[in-house]
Amino acid sequence: MIGLLIAALASNCLAVPVDLRTDLLKSVCRDELKAGGLTDLFARNVAHRLHSISVEDIQKYFSASVGEENNIPTVNKDLGTEERVLPHAPHTGYDDGFTTDALKYLDLILRNMDKAHYSITNFSVLEKIAHVLHMNEMWSRAHSHYQALLLRPPTPEMCLCATNTDLNGINQELNILALKIKYPGITSGEYEKLKEMGKQGYDVDYSYGKLDAPQPPAGYDVDYSYGKLDAPQPPPGYDIDYTYGKMDNPSASFQEKVMEFDFTGKESEVVERVSKDLVDGDHGMAQHLDSEEGWAYWKEKMTGMKEIGNYELAVFMYCKLNQ
């Protein structure tokens, strides 16, 4: 019965206003996903694990038959374009001349290390290597859940809700994550301050994870030459996360704003609106990974991530690839 209701609402078979129909769908699906053991952070958790996935990664961890038209959305690693979210995970082009995954991943980062606008703004080469290995760790964990789902699949109703990325918020989460990756500090609440500091002539370049100019008294410059926003440094310490900033889960009010936000339009205008309307105090990474102490922090955060997020990715992937 629930499946028929979801299908009818989604296909516009019922004479219900669009806004009301969308609200009804969201409510029904929210209950359906919860009944299936998923959390209120389903969209955020899945988007985090999708944001750098490729065809080769999907083939390795989920389905060997997946091709280019895979309907698995991901964040565009080319930060020089305004197309933030790709509808299909692309080929990464791992070098099969290497037999081990470790060297394939290392090669991926090092052969792109001179590109200032590749993958993640403000991440050093070492941090990009740590990141790609971290993502593979999560996909490997999700693989185990995926194998279990092949034996005991989710319900069709649950899959309808899990795969509707417009309805469940995954597209929204991918968009805000893409903007945080490209413009560190965009949701810090200090956008106007950053623009004002830029007028004073301070110039800091984070392209390779280092400061190329002396630190000004209070705040950093904004460099728009490639559409990049450089954030001011928060208080000393490692403030990294794999959403690239705040460690705490977002507040319910912030999540609601993200779900309702319109990410369409010219990127400069979207950046301006996001910086004013979606403020969570996230300044981005405060200190680069350059010591044993720093790695201990990264390691703690990586190993402390809840397993439910990997299960939620497995549910999404199963439903996308098998329904």
Side-chain angles (χ1 to χ4, degrees):
M1 183 65 182
I2 292 177
L4 291 175
L5 176 59
I6 294 172
L9 286 168
S11 62
N12 199 22
C13 290
L14 301 180
V16 179
V18 174
D19 289 345
L20 178 57
R21 186 169 69 247
T22 299
D23 289 342
L24 285 171
L25 268 170
K26 287 182 178 179
S27 177
V28 170
C29 277
R30 190 179 302 114
D31 292 341
E32 187 65 28
L33 293 177
K34 279 188 177 181
L38 306 187
T39 69
D40 289 335
L41 295 176
F42 169 74
R44 186 172 187 261
N45 287 337
V46 172
H48 172 195
R49 289 158 176 81
L50 287 178
H51 84 265
S52 62
I53 204 165
S54 69
V55 170
E56 293 93 331
D57 301 320
I58 298 170
Q59 292 171 341
K60 176 179 173 63
Y61 293 109
F62 303 105
S63 176
S65 62
V66 164
E68 292 183 353
E69 299 292 319
N70 49 67
N71 295 310
I72 304 297
T74 189
V75 171
N76 193 347
K77 289 187 178 72
D78 180 4
L79 305 183
T81 176
E82 291 200 6
E83 186 179 13
R84 291 186 296 275
V85 177
L86 303 175
H88 307 284
H91 282 282
T92 291
Y94 293 126
D95 191 337
D96 290 330
F98 295 113
T99 58
T100 64
D101 289 339
L103 274 175
K104 290 179 182 179
Y105 303 146
L106 180 64
D107 171 69
L108 173 67
I109 300 303
L110 297 187
R111 73 171 188 252
N112 290 289
M113 65 189 296
D114 293 336
K115 298 180 178 67
H117 306 287
Y118 169 78
S119 182
I120 307 171
T121 301
N122 196 23
F123 264 35
S124 68
V125 170
L126 176 59
E127 289 156 356
K128 288 179 180 179
I129 292 170
H131 172 259
V132 73
L133 294 175
H134 160 64
M135 297 307 298
N136 276 269
E137 174 80 6
M138 290 193 294
W139 298 329
S140 179
R141 289 175 175 271
H143 167 78
S144 299
H145 297 298
Y146 184 87
Q147 293 299 110
L149 291 170
L150 290 173
L151 300 176
R152 190 175 181 181
T155 65
E157 293 81 8
M158 186 174 176
C159 279
L160 277 173
C161 293
T163 56
N164 191 326
T165 55
D166 289 321
L167 185 68
N168 60 31
I170 289 175
N171 276 347
Q172 296 293 96
E173 291 288 353
L174 284 170
N175 267 281
I176 189 63
L177 181 52
L179 288 166
K180 285 190 173 192
I181 288 172
K182 188 173 181 178
Y183 303 97
I186 188 174
T187 60
S188 65
E190 299 187 348
Y191 181 74
E192 293 299 325
K193 176 182 177 182
L194 290 170
K195 288 199 298 185
E196 188 61 32
M197 292 302 299
K199 294 177 183 178
Q200 298 178 26
Y202 297 120
D203 182 20
V204 174
D205 180 7
Y206 280 143
S207 297
Y208 297 95
K210 64 181 181 179
L211 302 185
D212 293 331
Q215 185 178 347
Y220 294 142
D221 180 28
V222 181
D223 176 8
Y224 292 102
S225 58
Y226 290 92
K228 180 180 67 174
L229 173 62
D230 292 328
Q233 239 178 350
Y238 293 95
D239 186 21
I240 58 105
D241 179 20
Y242 310 103
T243 52
Y244 309 104
K246 290 172 67 64
M247 290 303 309
D248 297 334
N249 287 333
S251 67
S253 61
F254 180 78
Q255 283 298 97
E256 184 177 350
K257 289 179 180 179
V258 170
M259 292 304 103
E260 300 298 327
F261 194 84
D262 180 8
F263 287 98
T264 62
K266 188 176 180 181
E267 181 154 300
S268 60
E269 297 172 356
V270 174
V271 168
E272 184 78 20
R273 289 191 290 109
V274 166
S275 68
K276 293 179 178 179
D277 299 336
L278 296 180
V279 175
D280 63 357
D282 182 357
H283 288 84
M285 186 163 54
Q287 185 170 332
H288 286 287
L289 177 56
D290 57 6
S291 67
E292 293 178 6
E293 179 186 5
W295 171 242
Y297 183 89
W298 279 60
K299 184 177 178 179
E300 178 187 355
K301 298 309 175 184
M302 288 178 179
T303 57
M305 296 183 73
K306 294 181 179 178
E307 190 62 26
I308 184 64
N310 300 321
Y311 174 72
E312 289 175 327
L313 174 66
V315 170
F316 175 83
M317 297 301 288
Y318 175 87
C319 292
K320 274 289 191 179
L321 301 176
N322 297 282
Q323 293 290 307

